[in-house]
Amino acid sequence: MSVLGARSLNRAALARQLLLDRADLPVLDTVAHLGGMQAQEPQEPFVGLWSRLRDFAPGALDDLLTGRRVVRTHLMRRTVHLVTAEDLLAWRSRHDAMLCGRVLGTYRRELEGVDLGALAAAGRAVLADGEPRSMTGLARAVAEQWPDVAPRPLGEMLVAALIPMVQLPPRGLWRTRAGVRNAPVGAWLGREVDPPAPPG
């Protein structure tokens, strides 16, 4: 068995990320192959796909976003990622504990004493009307139950951790500036996230 040197490992990593040569792949297959793409800055996925695909057209990604085949959501590292809808449904529950931990790592003092189950229930009750919400709008809608907590920690815990959410278009479309409107995954995709796998 041969051992890969530093250069060979570097080349293998770049090839796996489709960064050695532009590929002839559909956009959906590329996002799936990459296991998601960083999308904190809304236009980032367009640059990332252009860098990897020979004939990338921005409209192809727009169509996947509006067609609900790919979504923008808080996932890895609690930042916004572009992932396929199928991957989000399969993976999200596996990220729950990490996402809560990341939010608490930032707002532990502010959220001390807040019953996270009650906060999640309050957020879901507000979202039951089917209206997309900004993080601030959702936080303000539940804030009277936690008057001593600032809206930002409540909103981040709800949107980034407690309730699986997606950021709706036109946010993330090509050359489009739009604020963030969040909706529950189940409302947008018509299916709830898969439950966690049983132990083992």
Side-chain angles (χ1 to χ4, degrees), residues 73-158:
T73 187
H74 288 89
L75 206 57
M76 287 76 84
R77 301 184 307 278
R78 203 190 89 184
T79 58
V80 178
H81 277 72
L82 178 81
V83 295
T84 68
E86 289 302 315
D87 283 345
L88 173 60
L89 292 167
W91 296 349
R92 178 50 169 81
S93 63
R94 296 175 180 154
H95 288 75
D96 287 352
M98 177 275 294
L99 291 168
C100 274
R102 287 284 180 127
V103 177
L104 286 174
T106 303
Y107 296 113
R108 188 170 305 279
R109 187 179 311 130
E110 293 88 340
L111 292 169
E112 187 175 357
V114 173
D115 180 325
L116 297 183
L119 178 58
R124 289 182 189 281
V126 171
L127 292 163
D129 65 5
E131 289 297 317
R133 298 282 197 310
S134 67
M135 184 177 71
T136 302
L138 180 57
R140 286 183 178 151
V142 303
E144 65 180 24
Q145 298 180 52
W146 293 275
D148 297 328
V149 183
R152 181 81 187 193
L154 294 172
E156 286 212 29
M157 182 55 83
L158 284 167

Coordinates of all heavy atoms in Angstrom, one line a residue, residues 73-158:
T73 N -29.9 27.1 4.2 CA -30.3 26.8 5.6 C -29.1 26.9 6.5 O -27.9 26.7 6.0 CB -30.9 25.4 5.6 OG1 -31.4 25.2 6.9 CG2 -29.9 24.3 5.3
H74 N -29.3 27.1 7.8 CA -28.2 27.0 8.8 C -27.9 25.5 8.9 O -28.8 24.7 9.2 CB -28.7 27.6 10.1 CG -28.7 29.1 10.1 ND1 -29.9 29.7 9.8 CD2 -27.8 30.0 10.4 CE1 -29.7 31.0 9.8 NE2 -28.4 31.2 10.2
L75 N -26.7 25.1 8.8 CA -26.3 23.7 8.9 C -24.9 23.6 9.5 O -24.7 24.0 10.7 CB -26.4 23.0 7.6 CG -26.7 21.5 7.7 CD1 -28.0 21.2 8.4 CD2 -26.8 20.9 6.3
M76 N -23.9 23.2 8.7 CA -22.6 23.0 9.2 C -22.1 24.3 9.8 O -22.2 25.4 9.3 CB -21.6 22.6 8.1 CG -21.8 21.2 7.6 SD -23.3 20.9 6.6 CE -22.7 21.3 5.0
R77 N -21.4 24.2 11.0 CA -20.8 25.3 11.7 C -21.8 26.5 12.0 O -21.4 27.6 12.3 CB -19.6 25.9 10.9 CG -18.5 24.9 10.6 CD -17.4 25.6 9.9 NE -17.7 26.3 8.7 CZ -17.9 25.7 7.5 NH1 -17.8 24.4 7.4 NH2 -18.2 26.5 6.5
R78 N -23.1 26.2 11.9 CA -24.2 27.2 12.2 C -24.2 28.3 11.2 O -24.9 29.3 11.4 CB -24.1 27.7 13.6 CG -25.4 28.3 14.1 CD -25.2 29.1 15.4 NE -24.9 30.5 15.1 CZ -24.7 31.4 16.0 NH1 -24.6 31.0 17.3 NH2 -24.4 32.6 15.7
T79 N -23.5 28.2 10.0 CA -23.6 29.2 9.0 C -24.5 28.7 7.9 O -24.9 27.5 7.9 CB -22.2 29.4 8.4 OG1 -21.6 28.2 7.9 CG2 -21.2 30.0 9.5
V80 N -24.9 29.6 7.0 CA -25.8 29.3 6.0 C -25.1 28.5 4.9 O -24.1 28.9 4.4 CB -26.5 30.6 5.4 CG1 -27.4 30.2 4.3 CG2 -27.2 31.4 6.5
H81 N -25.7 27.4 4.5 CA -25.2 26.5 3.5 C -26.3 26.3 2.4 O -27.5 26.3 2.7 CB -24.7 25.2 4.0 CG -23.3 25.2 4.6 ND1 -23.0 25.9 5.8 CD2 -22.2 24.7 4.1 CE1 -21.8 25.8 6.0 NE2 -21.2 25.1 5.0
L82 N -25.8 26.1 1.2 CA -26.7 25.6 0.1 C -26.6 24.1 0.0 O -25.5 23.6 -0.2 CB -26.3 26.3 -1.2 CG -27.1 25.9 -2.4 CD1 -28.4 26.7 -2.5 CD2 -26.2 26.1 -3.7
V83 N -27.7 23.4 0.2 CA -27.7 22.0 0.1 C -28.9 21.5 -0.7 O -29.9 22.3 -0.9 CB -27.7 21.3 1.5 CG1 -26.5 21.6 2.3 CG2 -29.0 21.7 2.3
T84 N -28.8 20.3 -1.1 CA -30.0 19.8 -1.8 C -31.1 19.6 -0.8 O -30.9 19.3 0.4 CB -29.7 18.4 -2.5 OG1 -29.5 17.4 -1.5 CG2 -28.5 18.5 -3.5
A85 N -32.4 19.6 -1.3 CA -33.5 19.4 -0.4 C -33.4 18.1 0.3 O -33.7 17.9 1.5 CB -34.8 19.6 -1.1
E86 N -33.0 17.1 -0.5 CA -33.0 15.7 0.0 C -31.9 15.6 1.1 O -32.1 14.9 2.1 CB -32.7 14.7 -1.1 CG -33.9 14.5 -2.0 CD -35.1 14.0 -1.3 OE1 -35.0 13.1 -0.5 OE2 -36.2 14.6 -1.6
D87 N -30.8 16.2 0.9 CA -29.7 16.2 1.9 C -30.2 16.9 3.2 O -29.9 16.4 4.3 CB -28.4 16.8 1.4 CG -27.7 15.8 0.5 OD1 -28.0 14.6 0.4 OD2 -26.8 16.3 -0.2
L88 N -30.8 18.0 3.1 CA -31.3 18.7 4.2 C -32.3 17.8 5.0 O -32.1 17.7 6.3 CB -32.0 20.0 3.9 CG -32.7 20.7 5.0 CD1 -31.8 21.1 6.1 CD2 -33.5 22.0 4.5
L89 N -33.2 17.2 4.4 CA -34.2 16.3 5.1 C -33.4 15.2 5.8 O -33.8 14.8 6.9 CB -35.2 15.8 4.1 CG -36.1 16.8 3.5 CD1 -36.9 16.3 2.3 CD2 -37.1 17.4 4.6
A90 N -32.4 14.6 5.1 CA -31.7 13.5 5.7 C -30.7 13.9 6.8 O -30.5 13.1 7.8 CB -30.9 12.8 4.6
W91 N -30.2 15.1 6.7 CA -29.1 15.5 7.6 C -29.5 16.3 8.8 O -28.8 16.3 9.8 CB -28.0 16.2 6.9 CG -27.3 15.5 5.8 CD1 -27.4 14.1 5.6 CD2 -26.4 16.0 4.8 NE1 -26.6 13.8 4.5 CE2 -26.0 15.0 4.0 CE3 -26.0 17.3 4.5 CZ2 -25.2 15.2 2.9 CZ3 -25.2 17.5 3.5 CH2 -24.7 16.4 2.7
R92 N -30.5 17.1 8.7 CA -30.8 18.2 9.7 C -30.8 17.7 11.1 O -30.2 18.3 12.0 CB -32.0 18.9 9.3 CG -32.4 20.1 10.2 CD -31.3 21.0 10.5 NE -31.7 22.2 11.2 CZ -32.0 22.3 12.5 NH1 -31.9 21.3 13.3 NH2 -32.4 23.5 13.0
S93 N -31.5 16.6 11.4 CA -31.6 16.1 12.8 C -30.3 15.8 13.3 O -30.1 15.8 14.6 CB -32.6 15.0 12.9 OG -32.2 13.9 12.1
R94 N -29.3 15.4 12.5 CA -28.0 15.0 13.0 C -27.2 16.2 13.4 O -26.2 16.1 14.1 CB -27.2 14.3 11.9 CG -27.9 12.9 11.6 CD -27.2 12.3 10.4 NE -27.9 11.0 10.1 CZ -27.8 10.4 9.0 NH1 -27.2 11.0 8.0 NH2 -28.4 9.3 8.8
H95 N -27.7 17.4 13.0 CA -27.0 18.7 13.4 C -27.6 19.4 14.6 O -27.1 20.4 15.0 CB -27.0 19.6 12.2 CG -26.1 19.2 11.1 ND1 -26.3 18.1 10.2 CD2 -24.8 19.6 10.7 CE1 -25.4 18.0 9.4 NE2 -24.4 18.9 9.6
D96 N -28.8 18.9 15.1 CA -29.5 19.6 16.1 C -28.7 19.9 17.3 O -28.7 21.1 17.7 CB -30.8 18.8 16.5 CG -31.9 18.7 15.5 OD1 -31.8 19.5 14.5 OD2 -32.8 18.0 15.7
A97 N -28.0 19.0 17.9 CA -27.3 19.2 19.1 C -26.1 20.2 18.9 O -25.9 21.1 19.7 CB -26.7 17.9 19.7
M98 N -25.4 20.1 17.8 CA -24.4 21.0 17.4 C -24.9 22.4 17.3 O -24.3 23.4 17.8 CB -23.6 20.5 16.2 CG -22.5 21.5 15.7 SD -23.1 22.9 14.7 CE -23.6 22.0 13.2
L99 N -26.0 22.6 16.6 CA -26.6 23.9 16.3 C -27.0 24.6 17.6 O -26.7 25.7 17.9 CB -27.7 23.8 15.3 CG -27.4 23.4 13.9 CD1 -28.6 23.1 13.1 CD2 -26.6 24.5 13.2
C100 N -27.6 23.8 18.5 CA -28.0 24.4 19.8 C -26.8 24.7 20.6 O -26.7 25.8 21.2 CB -28.8 23.4 20.6 SG -30.6 23.4 20.3
G101 N -25.8 23.9 20.6 CA -24.5 24.2 21.3 C -23.8 25.4 20.8 O -23.3 26.2 21.6
R102 N -23.8 25.6 19.5 CA -23.2 26.8 18.9 C -23.9 28.0 19.3 O -23.3 29.0 19.6 CB -23.2 26.6 17.4 CG -22.2 25.6 16.8 CD -20.8 26.2 16.9 NE -19.8 25.3 16.3 CZ -18.9 25.6 15.4 NH1 -18.9 26.8 14.8 NH2 -18.1 24.7 15.0
V103 N -25.2 28.0 19.3 CA -26.0 29.2 19.7 C -25.7 29.5 21.2 O -25.5 30.6 21.6 CB -27.5 29.1 19.4 CG1 -28.2 30.3 19.9 CG2 -27.7 28.9 17.9
L104 N -25.8 28.4 22.0 CA -25.5 28.6 23.4 C -24.1 29.1 23.7 O -23.9 29.8 24.6 CB -25.8 27.3 24.2 CG -27.3 27.0 24.3 CD1 -27.5 25.6 25.0 CD2 -28.0 28.0 25.2
G105 N -23.2 28.7 22.8 CA -21.8 29.1 23.0 C -21.7 30.6 22.9 O -20.8 31.2 23.4
T106 N -22.6 31.2 22.1 CA -22.6 32.7 21.9 C -23.5 33.4 22.9 O -23.1 34.5 23.4 CB -23.0 33.0 20.5 OG1 -22.2 32.4 19.5 CG2 -23.0 34.5 20.3
Y107 N -24.6 32.8 23.3 CA -25.6 33.4 24.1 C -26.0 32.7 25.3 O -27.1 32.8 25.8 CB -26.9 33.6 23.2 CG -26.7 34.5 22.0 CD1 -26.8 34.0 20.7 CD2 -26.5 35.9 22.2 CE1 -26.7 34.8 19.6 CE2 -26.3 36.7 21.1 CZ -26.4 36.1 19.8 OH -26.3 36.9 18.7
R108 N -25.1 31.9 25.9 CA -25.4 31.1 27.1 C -25.9 32.0 28.2 O -26.9 31.7 28.9 CB -24.2 30.4 27.6 CG -24.5 29.4 28.7 CD -23.3 28.5 29.0 NE -22.8 27.7 27.8 CZ -23.4 26.6 27.3 NH1 -24.5 26.1 27.9 NH2 -22.9 26.0 26.3
R109 N -25.3 33.1 28.5 CA -25.7 34.0 29.6 C -27.1 34.6 29.3 O -28.0 34.6 30.2 CB -24.7 35.1 29.8 CG -25.0 36.0 31.1 CD -24.0 37.1 31.3 NE -22.6 36.6 31.2 CZ -21.7 37.1 30.4 NH1 -21.9 38.2 29.7 NH2 -20.4 36.6 30.4
E110 N -27.3 35.0 28.1 CA -28.6 35.7 27.7 C -29.7 34.7 27.8 O -30.9 35.0 28.1 CB -28.5 36.3 26.3 CG -27.6 37.5 26.2 CD -26.1 37.1 25.9 OE1 -25.8 35.9 26.1 OE2 -25.4 38.0 25.4
L111 N -29.5 33.4 27.4 CA -30.5 32.4 27.4 C -30.6 31.5 28.6 O -31.4 30.6 28.7 CB -30.3 31.5 26.1 CG -30.5 32.2 24.8 CD1 -30.0 31.3 23.7 CD2 -31.9 32.6 24.6
E112 N -29.8 31.9 29.6 CA -29.9 31.1 30.9 C -31.3 31.2 31.5 O -31.9 32.3 31.6 CB -28.9 31.7 31.9 CG -28.8 30.9 33.2 CD -27.7 31.5 34.1 OE1 -27.0 32.4 33.7 OE2 -27.6 30.9 35.2
G113 N -31.8 30.1 31.8 CA -33.2 30.0 32.4 C -34.3 29.9 31.4 O -35.5 29.7 31.7
V114 N -34.0 30.0 30.1 CA -35.0 29.9 29.0 C -35.2 28.4 28.7 O -34.3 27.7 28.4 CB -34.6 30.6 27.7 CG1 -35.6 30.3 26.6 CG2 -34.5 32.1 28.0
D115 N -36.5 28.0 28.9 CA -36.8 26.6 28.5 C -36.8 26.5 27.0 O -37.7 27.0 26.3 CB -38.2 26.2 29.1 CG -38.6 24.8 28.9 OD1 -38.3 24.3 27.8 OD2 -39.3 24.2 29.7
L116 N -35.9 25.8 26.4 CA -35.7 25.7 25.0 C -36.9 25.0 24.3 O -37.3 25.3 23.2 CB -34.4 25.1 24.6 CG -33.2 25.8 25.0 CD1 -31.9 25.1 24.5 CD2 -33.2 27.3 24.6
G117 N -37.5 24.0 25.0 CA -38.7 23.3 24.5 C -39.8 24.3 24.4 O -40.6 24.3 23.4
A118 N -40.0 25.1 25.5 CA -41.1 26.1 25.4 C -40.8 27.2 24.4 O -41.8 27.6 23.7 CB -41.2 26.8 26.8
L119 N -39.6 27.6 24.2 CA -39.2 28.5 23.1 C -39.5 28.0 21.7 O -40.1 28.6 20.9 CB -37.8 28.9 23.2 CG -37.2 29.9 22.2 CD1 -38.0 31.2 22.2 CD2 -35.7 30.1 22.4
A120 N -39.2 26.7 21.5 CA -39.5 26.1 20.2 C -41.0 26.0 20.0 O -41.4 26.3 18.9 CB -38.9 24.7 20.2
A121 N -41.7 25.6 21.0 CA -43.2 25.6 20.9 C -43.8 26.9 20.6 O -44.7 27.0 19.7 CB -43.8 25.0 22.1
A122 N -43.3 28.0 21.2 CA -43.8 29.3 21.0 C -43.5 29.7 19.5 O -44.3 30.3 18.8 CB -43.2 30.3 22.0
G123 N -42.3 29.4 19.1 CA -41.9 29.8 17.7 C -42.8 29.0 16.7 O -43.2 29.6 15.7
R124 N -43.0 27.8 16.9 CA -43.8 27.0 16.0 C -45.3 27.5 16.0 O -45.9 27.5 14.9 CB -43.8 25.5 16.4 CG -42.5 24.8 16.1 CD -42.5 23.3 16.4 NE -41.2 22.7 16.4 CZ -40.6 22.3 15.3 NH1 -41.2 22.5 14.1 NH2 -39.4 21.8 15.3
A125 N -45.8 27.9 17.1 CA -47.1 28.5 17.2 C -47.2 29.7 16.3 O -48.2 29.9 15.6 CB -47.5 28.8 18.6
V126 N -46.2 30.6 16.4 CA -46.2 31.8 15.5 C -46.2 31.4 14.1 O -46.9 32.0 13.2 CB -45.0 32.7 15.9 CG1 -44.9 33.9 14.9 CG2 -45.2 33.3 17.3
L127 N -45.3 30.5 13.7 CA -45.1 30.1 12.3 C -46.3 29.3 11.7 O -46.4 29.1 10.5 CB -43.8 29.3 12.2 CG -42.6 30.1 12.4 CD1 -41.4 29.2 12.7 CD2 -42.3 31.1 11.3
A128 N -47.2 28.9 12.6 CA -48.3 28.0 12.1 C -49.2 28.7 11.2 O -50.0 28.1 10.4 CB -49.1 27.5 13.3
D129 N -49.1 30.1 11.1 CA -50.0 30.8 10.2 C -49.5 30.7 8.7 O -50.1 31.2 7.8 CB -50.2 32.3 10.6 CG -48.8 33.1 10.6 OD1 -47.8 32.5 10.1 OD2 -48.9 34.2 11.0
G130 N -48.3 30.1 8.5 CA -47.8 29.9 7.2 C -47.0 31.1 6.6 O -46.6 31.1 5.5
E131 N -46.9 32.2 7.4 CA -46.2 33.4 6.9 C -44.7 33.3 7.2 O -44.3 33.0 8.3 CB -46.8 34.7 7.6 CG -48.2 35.0 7.2 CD -48.3 35.4 5.8 OE1 -47.4 36.1 5.3 OE2 -49.3 34.9 5.1
P132 N -43.9 33.5 6.1 CA -42.5 33.6 6.4 C -42.1 34.7 7.3 O -42.8 35.8 7.3 CB -41.9 33.8 5.0 CG -43.0 33.5 4.0 CD -44.2 33.7 4.7
R133 N -41.1 34.6 8.1 CA -40.7 35.6 9.1 C -39.2 35.9 9.0 O -38.4 35.0 8.7 CB -41.0 35.1 10.5 CG -42.4 34.9 10.9 CD -43.2 36.1 11.1 NE -44.4 36.1 11.8 CZ -45.5 35.3 11.6 NH1 -45.4 34.3 10.7 NH2 -46.6 35.4 12.3
S134 N -38.8 37.1 9.2 CA -37.4 37.4 9.5 C -37.1 36.9 10.9 O -38.0 36.6 11.7 CB -37.2 38.9 9.4 OG -37.8 39.6 10.5
M135 N -35.8 36.7 11.2 CA -35.4 36.3 12.5 C -35.9 37.3 13.5 O -36.4 36.9 14.6 CB -33.9 36.1 12.6 CG -33.4 35.6 13.9 SD -31.6 35.4 13.9 CE -31.1 37.1 14.0
T136 N -35.7 38.6 13.3 CA -36.2 39.6 14.2 C -37.7 39.6 14.4 O -38.2 39.7 15.5 CB -35.7 41.0 13.7 OG1 -34.3 41.0 13.6 CG2 -36.1 42.1 14.7
G137 N -38.4 39.4 13.3 CA -39.9 39.3 13.4 C -40.3 38.2 14.2 O -41.3 38.3 15.1
L138 N -39.7 37.0 14.1 CA -40.1 35.8 14.8 C -39.7 36.0 16.3 O -40.5 35.7 17.2 CB -39.4 34.6 14.3 CG -39.7 33.3 15.0 CD1 -41.2 33.0 15.0 CD2 -38.9 32.1 14.3
A139 N -38.6 36.6 16.6 CA -38.2 36.8 18.0 C -39.1 37.8 18.7 O -39.5 37.6 19.8 CB -36.7 37.4 18.0
R140 N -39.5 38.9 18.0 CA -40.4 39.8 18.6 C -41.8 39.2 18.9 O -42.4 39.6 19.8 CB -40.5 41.1 17.7 CG -39.3 41.9 17.7 CD -39.4 43.2 16.9 NE -38.2 44.0 17.0 CZ -37.8 44.8 16.0 NH1 -38.5 44.9 14.9 NH2 -36.7 45.5 16.2
A141 N -42.2 38.3 18.0 CA -43.5 37.7 18.2 C -43.5 36.8 19.4 O -44.6 36.6 20.0 CB -43.9 36.8 17.0
V142 N -42.4 36.3 19.9 CA -42.4 35.5 21.1 C -41.8 36.2 22.3 O -41.8 35.6 23.4 CB -41.6 34.1 20.9 CG1 -42.2 33.4 19.7 CG2 -40.1 34.4 20.7
A143 N -41.3 37.4 22.1 CA -40.5 38.1 23.2 C -41.3 38.4 24.4 O -40.7 38.4 25.5 CB -40.0 39.4 22.6
E144 N -42.6 38.5 24.4 CA -43.4 38.9 25.6 C -43.3 37.7 26.6 O -43.5 38.0 27.8 CB -44.8 39.2 25.2 CG -45.6 38.1 24.7 CD -47.1 38.5 24.4 OE1 -47.3 39.7 24.2 OE2 -47.9 37.6 24.4
Q145 N -43.1 36.5 26.1 CA -42.9 35.4 27.1 C -41.6 35.4 27.8 O -41.4 34.7 28.8 CB -43.1 34.1 26.3 CG -44.5 34.0 25.7 CD -44.7 32.6 25.0 OE1 -44.4 31.6 25.6 NE2 -45.1 32.7 23.8
W146 N -40.6 36.1 27.2 CA -39.3 36.2 27.8 C -38.8 37.7 27.8 O -37.9 38.0 27.1 CB -38.3 35.3 27.1 CG -38.6 33.9 27.2 CD1 -38.2 33.0 28.2 CD2 -39.4 33.1 26.3 NE1 -38.7 31.8 28.0 CE2 -39.4 31.8 26.8 CE3 -40.1 33.3 25.1 CZ2 -40.1 30.7 26.2 CZ3 -40.8 32.3 24.5 CH2 -40.8 31.0 25.0
P147 N -39.5 38.5 28.6 CA -39.3 39.9 28.5 C -37.9 40.4 29.0 O -37.4 41.5 28.6 CB -40.3 40.5 29.5 CG -40.7 39.4 30.4 CD -40.5 38.1 29.6
D148 N -37.1 39.5 29.7 CA -35.8 39.9 30.1 C -34.7 39.4 29.1 O -33.5 39.7 29.4 CB -35.5 39.3 31.5 CG -36.5 39.8 32.6 OD1 -36.9 41.0 32.4 OD2 -36.8 39.0 33.5
V149 N -35.1 38.8 28.0 CA -34.1 38.4 27.0 C -34.2 39.2 25.8 O -35.3 39.5 25.3 CB -34.4 36.9 26.7 CG1 -33.3 36.4 25.7 CG2 -34.4 36.0 27.9
A150 N -33.1 39.7 25.3 CA -33.1 40.5 24.0 C -33.6 39.6 22.9 O -33.4 38.4 22.8 CB -31.7 41.0 23.8
P151 N -34.2 40.3 21.8 CA -34.7 39.5 20.7 C -33.6 38.7 20.0 O -33.9 37.6 19.5 CB -35.3 40.6 19.8 CG -35.6 41.7 20.7 CD -34.6 41.7 21.8
R152 N -32.4 39.2 19.8 CA -31.4 38.5 19.0 C -31.1 37.1 19.5 O -31.2 36.2 18.7 CB -30.1 39.3 19.0 CG -29.0 38.7 18.1 CD -29.2 39.0 16.7 NE -28.3 38.3 15.8 CZ -28.1 38.6 14.6 NH1 -28.8 39.6 14.0 NH2 -27.2 37.9 13.9
P153 N -30.8 36.9 20.8 CA -30.6 35.5 21.2 C -31.8 34.6 21.0 O -31.6 33.4 20.6 CB -30.3 35.6 22.7 CG -29.8 37.0 22.8 CD -30.6 37.8 21.8
L154 N -33.0 35.1 21.2 CA -34.2 34.3 21.0 C -34.3 33.9 19.5 O -34.6 32.8 19.1 CB -35.5 35.0 21.4 CG -35.6 35.3 22.9 CD1 -36.8 36.2 23.2 CD2 -35.7 34.0 23.7
G155 N -34.1 34.9 18.7 CA -34.3 34.7 17.2 C -33.2 33.7 16.7 O -33.6 32.8 15.9
E156 N -32.0 33.9 17.1 CA -30.9 33.0 16.6 C -31.2 31.5 17.1 O -31.0 30.6 16.3 CB -29.6 33.5 17.0 CG -29.1 34.7 16.3 CD -27.6 34.7 16.1 OE1 -27.0 33.7 16.0 OE2 -27.1 35.9 15.9
M157 N -31.6 31.4 18.3 CA -31.9 30.0 18.8 C -33.0 29.4 18.0 O -33.0 28.2 17.6 CB -32.2 30.0 20.3 CG -32.4 28.7 20.9 SD -31.1 27.5 20.6 CE -30.0 27.9 21.9
L158 N -34.1 30.2 17.7 CA -35.2 29.6 17.0 C -34.8 29.3 15.5 O -35.1 28.2 15.1 CB -36.4 30.6 17.0 CG -37.1 30.7 18.3 CD1 -38.0 32.0 18.2 CD2 -38.0 29.5 18.5

